[in-house]
Amino acid sequence: MATYHPDFIVATAQKIYLIETKGNDKVFDRNVQRKQRAALQWTRRINALPSAAREGRQWEYVLLSEDNFYSLLGSGATLTDICEVAKVSPQAATGNLFSGADD
């Protein structure tokens, strides 16, 4: 089993973001999509822990492409804004955008 290390971990007052950066051509790569699903499962398990065990914060997974980053940064977005826009939902990661399914 491989070990995963996100590119960045950013902590704000309310959240901790696991940030994966990818070139535009890699965002839809099969391995990247597998990582997304695994990271979402991991954050779901972390967020199920008592608040004190997760530093009192919600954990989120962010997949940030080059275009998203530079477009948002150029529009004056803060790092928190960028993370909120680029965070991956379970529905987006599994292709179930119109269902309530988490897997």
Side-chain angles (χ1 to χ4, degrees):
M1 199 165 164
T3 302
Y4 171 68
H5 300 281
D7 294 324
F8 301 96
I9 298 175
V10 174
T12 68
Q14 291 83 25
K15 295 189 178 183
I16 296 177
Y17 297 99
L18 302 176
I19 302 174
E20 180 78 21
T21 57
K22 290 293 173 201
N24 296 324
D25 61 331
K26 301 291 184 202
V27 171
F28 297 106
D29 180 81
R30 184 180 305 194
N31 287 329
V32 172
Q33 291 181 344
R34 277 189 222 139
K35 269 197 231 181
Q36 282 184 80
R37 290 188 297 274
L40 285 171
Q41 287 176 339
W42 188 85
T43 57
R44 188 178 320 133
R45 288 193 304 267
I46 290 295
N47 289 328
L49 294 173
S51 180
R54 53 186 165 83
E55 300 182 27
R57 298 177 184 142
Q58 191 75 13
W59 289 61
E60 303 278 357
Y61 174 70
V62 174
L63 178 62
L64 189 57
S65 71
E66 288 176 89
D67 282 352
N68 272 352
F69 176 75
Y70 288 113
S71 170
L72 291 164
L73 187 64
S75 69
T78 66
L79 184 56
T80 299
D81 295 334
I82 292 169
C83 288
E84 284 298 310
V85 168
K87 72 182 176 183
V88 178
S89 71
Q91 293 81 11
T94 59
N96 295 318
L97 293 176
F98 300 107
S99 75
D102 285 342
D103 294 353

